[in-house]
Amino acid sequence: MLGLDPPAAPEPVGSSELAAQLAGKLCHDLIAPASAIISGFELLDDPGMADMRDDAMSLIKSSAQKTVALVSFSRVAYGASNTAEDFAAEDLRRLAESIYAYVRAELDWAVELAVFNKPAARAMLNLSQLGAEAAPSGGVVRITAHKEAGEILMSVEATSPRARLRAETQQGLRGEALSEGLGGYWVQAYYLSALLRAVGGRVDAMVGEGRVVLRARCPA
């Protein structure tokens, strides 16, 4: 008689709810630069604002660049459109830098690993964005990654006088459903936790005075 493994415990959040929350976060991230582009064109169309033409063009250009940066980042961090199974660390660095161009924190990319598999690449990008959110008033976010004993070990350390990790982000990192707070902060952390659990990895967080550390493990 064949033994059967017990059924896996269901995820606390269904796939449809997770997809809805991720879509909400992406819309929230994109609405500001998209609205700024429209505002720029409205300035160009207003005859009474002719002296603002250069400012309008600058607003349109910077907002379009931010929109492209967010879309390019999200395609790898969340999407399945890229068929590549491996990602060069240099490509991930460029994607992370494109996001850090629009936040106050400074990125310190100290990654030793040259190539990431797809789950680790997605985890790395989500960790980098969570690191930026942990230092909203500025500071330094140091990102490292190396391979050890068949695993890819990733670390993000945000150092800032006002470093913090929101309660809903901590819930998501623990793989818990959102109980209260903002879904946009929770869903990325939960997605990261679920992504790593699905491949046999994990993510942990440590919060201290002026310092937030996120560590993740992913099979290599």
Side-chain angles (χ1 to χ4, degrees):
M1 181 175 179
L2 294 176
L4 297 177
D5 293 331
E11 286 284 340
V13 178
S15 57
S16 59
E17 175 62 18
L18 181 59
Q21 291 282 3
L22 279 174
K25 171 179 169 51
L26 291 174
C27 290
H28 177 271
D29 290 347
L30 292 169
I31 192 64
S35 298
I37 293 172
I38 294 174
S39 297
F41 280 116
E42 288 175 346
L43 284 174
L44 291 178
D45 289 339
D46 188 342
M49 304 295 287
D51 59 332
M52 297 288 290
R53 180 177 177 82
D54 288 345
D55 290 337
M57 290 300 297
S58 178
L59 177 63
I60 292 169
K61 180 180 178 180
S62 63
S63 300
Q65 289 172 333
K66 183 177 182 179
T67 301
V68 171
L70 285 168
V71 171
S72 299
F73 179 93
S74 299
R75 284 182 71 245
V76 179
Y78 308 118
S81 59
N82 197 316
T83 59
E85 292 300 321
D86 295 305
F87 294 82
E90 185 64 16
D91 292 336
L92 300 181
R93 181 186 65 80
R94 282 194 289 266
L95 289 171
E97 286 178 342
S98 72
I99 295 299
Y100 274 75
Y102 301 98
V103 299
R104 293 184 178 181
E106 176 187 344
L107 175 64
D108 178 9
W109 184 270
V111 172
E112 299 176 10
L113 201 63
V115 178
F116 288 72
N117 59 34
K118 185 180 288 186
R122 289 176 177 170
M124 187 82 268
L125 290 182
N126 281 280
L127 283 167
S128 69
Q129 196 168 38
L130 289 172
E133 290 176 2
S137 61
V140 177
V141 179
R142 180 176 174 82
I143 299 178
T144 65
H146 67 279
K147 188 181 294 186
E148 182 180 303
E151 290 186 313
I152 296 174
L153 307 183
M154 296 165 278
S155 175
V156 171
E157 180 176 349
T159 305
S160 170
R162 298 180 63 185
R164 56 97 175 99
L165 202 60
R166 292 175 178 268
E168 49 264 60
T169 302
Q170 295 185 50
Q171 269 192 307
L173 290 173
R174 292 193 298 266
E176 299 172 0
L178 179 67
S179 59
E180 59 181 4
L182 299 175
Y185 291 108
W186 164 83
V187 69
Q188 184 173 28
Y190 183 88
Y191 170 82
L192 171 61
S193 177
L195 167 70
L196 289 170
R197 285 197 307 274
V199 296
R202 62 176 295 171
V203 59
D204 297 296
M206 183 185 72
V207 182
E209 186 67 29
R211 183 168 171 259
V212 172
V213 180
L214 305 175
R215 291 193 176 98
R217 293 174 173 268
C218 180

